[in-house]
Amino acid sequence: MTVSRRDLLKMGLMAGPGLSLPRLAEAQIPDPSSPPIVPFVRPMPIPPVLSTVPGPPGQDNYSITQTEGFANIIPGRPTPIWGYNGIYPGPTIRARAGDSARRVVITQTNLLSESVAVHLHGGHVSPSNDGHPTQDLIPTGTQRPFDYPNTQLPATLWYHDHAVDVTGPHMYLGLTGFYITGDNFEDMLNLPTGTHDVPVMITDRVFNRDGSFAYPLTEDALVRGIMGDRILVNGVIQPFFSVTRRKWRFRILNASNARVYDFRLSNGQPFIQLGSDGGLLTAPVTRTVLRLAPAERADVVIDFTNLPTGTQVYLRNSNRQIPIWLDRAPRDVLRFDVGNTASDNSVVPSSLRPVETLPAEVRTRDFLLTRGVQNGRTVWFINGLLFDPARIDANPTDGEVEVWRFINNSNVNHPMHIHLVQFQILDINGVPPGPGEAGWKDTVNVPAGQTARVKARFAGFTGTYVFHCHILEHEDHAMMAQFQVTP
Ligand code: C2O
Ligand code: CU
Ligand code: CU
């Protein structure tokens, strides 16, 4: 299967600067009503937790093979995917971090038809283990280990493809998985755990009639990113999830290529947010709306204790984007079916983990985000430049704190992601973040025309890392740059 190449060719044929949006929708988005989907009849799958394999002692050894496979998404129409161990989403890795860190070494074998790179998103890892888009490519038929020390605070991380120029199609085909870490401190908080700690990966897709994923990389998609009319939760369109009447913890990840979600519960009940991208907040935050841009995570508790057995609650996306008249994605993405009463010894304590106050910055760097045109097609600039692996765009000194300003001088949002670090959002257009965004973050959504300031300590490893927009069609075309941490 060479879906990505075929689609890349197709997009070249299809794209044209003169096409208006409604014509694009008619001509290029495969009939979204064709797959016969009955919503809320399939249970939400939970990606399997990966088991260790024999290997050197004192660390957890894993082996993942990247292969083609088929996903059962639309009845009777198997969807060809690229998957970690051939499944979508990939297997979940559960690791120990922080005060009880254990090294994880994953041997990745590439049996796909193109080179891949594997990145641990949010991970504090050495440059050679970061999955650099050009330096760390794994050619077809080869393998290499990735070494993750897990010395950072526990968090909801994820791993995904990062191959230069084709990260969008590769991830769209399925190369995404959870990497969730915990430590003794967090265990002692007695949050919901085990089967009551559930990863939830949200993605959107366009399907061809035969059930395959369509990747219509039109000119419009270069501008806004690929947005699907079907929303998948852990790889299934509109599943249900049976819960008992107690507190449940959900690690919600927006792994979509471009779509931003505003999640609410249909009964108006709030989420109790415990954490964001880089770990726990100082204290839980009660929120009725959770906005998640691509790559962002929210670690939340939903308390079903007081809902009568038989209650159905929808996880609802109230964010309509792309031209609103084209957005045919349903609002309700997941249904919780409330079952029987259950014992619940878990608690949501009034304070979680103090978030460090970073010292004053030694410098501020500015990154201007703009749109450009090259060969008649949209490209995306950081400080007027496209990604060039031979160029270093910033060189922080190991251990120093910097403020980075992302100045969005374009008419679409850009969720900006920095490798290596977890940062803190200082403000967006001068407005400090709400308490749910005040913790450790690795991705900040910079709305159209606005400026975000983030503060981070660049420390622990020296060498070259990338930072980029996490709308994958922007990243691939070529909204990415490099920083080099120097001793
Ligand atoms: Cu999740 Cu560089 O990416
Ligand atoms: Cu990353
Ligand atoms: Cu962008």
Side-chain angles (χ1 to χ4, degrees):
M1 189 185 67
T2 53
V3 174
S4 70
R5 282 291 172 235
R6 193 178 66 214
D7 285 326
L8 291 169
L9 284 174
K10 196 161 58 179
M11 90 206 172
L13 296 171
M14 290 169 114
L19 297 178
S20 67
L21 292 175
R23 276 189 55 210
L24 283 179
E26 288 161 19
Q28 302 186 10
I29 296 184
D31 180 358
S33 60
S34 64
I37 290 293
V38 183
F40 309 115
V41 296
R42 292 182 58 190
M44 180 179 77
I46 296 174
V49 174
L50 195 61
S51 303
T52 56
V53 295
Q59 61 189 34
D60 293 332
N61 303 285
Y62 294 94
S63 170
I64 292 178
T65 303
Q66 301 182 36
T67 62
E68 297 170 8
F70 287 94
N72 172 20
I73 303 172
I74 295 167
R77 304 181 192 191
T79 306
I81 56 124
W82 285 11
Y84 295 110
N85 285 349
I87 59 172
Y88 171 66
T92 297
I93 289 158
R94 291 263 183 185
R96 300 297 288 179
D99 65 24
S100 46
R102 266 180 75 78
R103 177 176 301 275
V104 162
V105 176
I106 306 177
T107 300
Q108 292 276 358
T109 303
N110 177 14
L111 298 186
L112 297 165
S113 56
E114 297 180 7
S115 294
V116 295
V118 186
H119 171 57
L120 177 61
H121 181 118
H124 188 255
V125 309
S126 74
S128 59
N129 289 288
D130 195 49
H132 188 279
T134 58
Q135 287 165 25
D136 295 335
L137 287 172
I138 310 170
T140 300
T142 67
Q143 62 176 205
R144 58 154 290 178
F146 289 85
D147 190 330
Y148 303 137
N150 297 313
T151 46
Q152 67 199 98
L153 293 174
T156 307
L157 307 182
W158 57 305
Y159 62 104
H160 62 72
D161 192 73
H162 220 301
V164 66
D165 295 346
V166 289
T167 294
H170 283 191
M171 287 176 62
Y172 198 85
L173 279 166
L175 292 175
T176 49
F178 276 100
Y179 186 105
I180 297 173
T181 60
D183 74 349
N184 293 338
F185 177 91
E186 192 172 310
D187 291 347
M188 279 166 24
L189 295 175
N190 198 20
L191 300 163
T193 184
T195 54
H196 304 106
D197 174 5
V198 183
V200 176
M201 183 188 289
I202 310 281
T203 53
D204 59 342
R205 293 290 184 271
V206 184
F207 288 85
N208 294 310
R209 285 177 183 277
D210 63 3
S212 60
F213 292 140
Y215 190 74
L217 193 47
T218 60
E219 175 60 22
D220 181 58
L222 286 174
V223 175
R224 298 168 193 281
I226 298 264
M227 287 188 215
D229 59 293
R230 299 291 190 179
I231 300 188
L232 287 70
V233 184
N234 289 344
V236 167
I237 298 169
Q238 289 177 294
F240 70 87
F241 188 64
S242 299
V243 294
T244 46
R245 299 177 59 202
R246 53 159 290 157
K247 294 185 286 300
W248 289 72
R249 182 178 186 182
F250 297 97
R251 322 272 193 141
I252 308 175
L253 157 66
N254 180 0
S256 307
N257 283 37
R259 186 182 281 275
V260 179
Y261 301 86
D262 285 328
F263 289 118
R264 302 166 186 269
L265 294 171
S266 57
N267 62 352
Q269 185 181 331
F271 305 95
I272 306 164
Q273 186 179 0
L274 305 175
S276 58
D277 303 344
L280 294 173
L281 302 167
T282 300
V285 176
T286 298
R287 299 176 76 180
T288 51
V289 187
L290 282 177
R291 170 163 292 187
L292 289 182
E296 290 187 303
R297 288 86 77 200
D299 181 355
V300 301
V301 163
I302 303 177
D303 190 350
F304 298 100
T305 309
N306 295 320
L307 300 182
T309 299
T311 306
Q312 296 181 333
V313 181
Y314 293 91
L315 180 69
R316 180 168 286 171
N317 169 33
S318 57
N319 189 326
R320 309 305 267 183
Q321 12 165 32
I322 48 182
I324 199 162
W325 61 91
L326 285 183
D327 193 352
R328 288 184 272 194
R331 286 166 187 262
D332 291 336
V333 305
L334 168 64
R335 192 183 71 202
F336 296 106
D337 291 355
V338 180
N340 293 328
T341 305
S343 66
D344 188 356
N345 302 320
S346 71
V347 293
V348 176
S350 56
S351 63
L352 296 166
R353 191 195 300 267
V355 173
E356 177 194 356
T357 304
L358 291 170
E361 67 273 18
V362 298
R363 66 183 67 79
T364 297
R365 297 182 198 270
D366 283 354
F367 300 101
L368 186 65
L369 313 176
T370 56
R371 181 181 166 191
V373 175
Q374 207 174 60
N375 303 322
R377 304 206 77 201
T378 288
V379 292
W380 292 96
F381 294 123
I382 298 176
N383 282 346
L385 299 169
L386 300 175
F387 177 60
D388 178 355
R391 187 187 73 234
I392 300 294
D393 304 89
N395 50 356
T397 302
D398 187 15
E400 286 187 348
V401 173
E402 299 197 349
V403 169
W404 286 18
R405 289 205 304 172
F406 294 112
I407 304 156
N408 183 350
N409 193 13
S410 76
N411 62 359
V412 296
N413 65 299
H414 299 289
M416 297 304 295
H417 167 52
I418 310 177
H419 284 217
L420 177 69
V421 299
Q422 290 290 335
F423 54 70
Q424 293 173 7
I425 302 174
L426 295 180
D427 46 45
I428 297 178
N429 259 16
V431 180
E437 260 106 48
W440 294 110
K441 296 277 296 168
D442 53 46
T443 306
V444 58
N445 191 36
V446 191
Q450 301 194 23
T451 294
R453 291 197 311 147
V454 303
K455 189 183 203 182
R457 180 188 285 118
F458 294 81
F461 296 103
T462 56
T464 303
Y465 296 87
V466 295
F467 62 103
H468 57 90
C469 177
H470 222 287
I471 289 180
L472 303 178
E473 289 67 40
H474 294 181
E475 174 183 345
D476 285 344
H477 297 95
M479 199 172 207
M480 179 154 60
Q482 295 185 113
F483 64 96
Q484 185 172 48
V485 183
T486 54

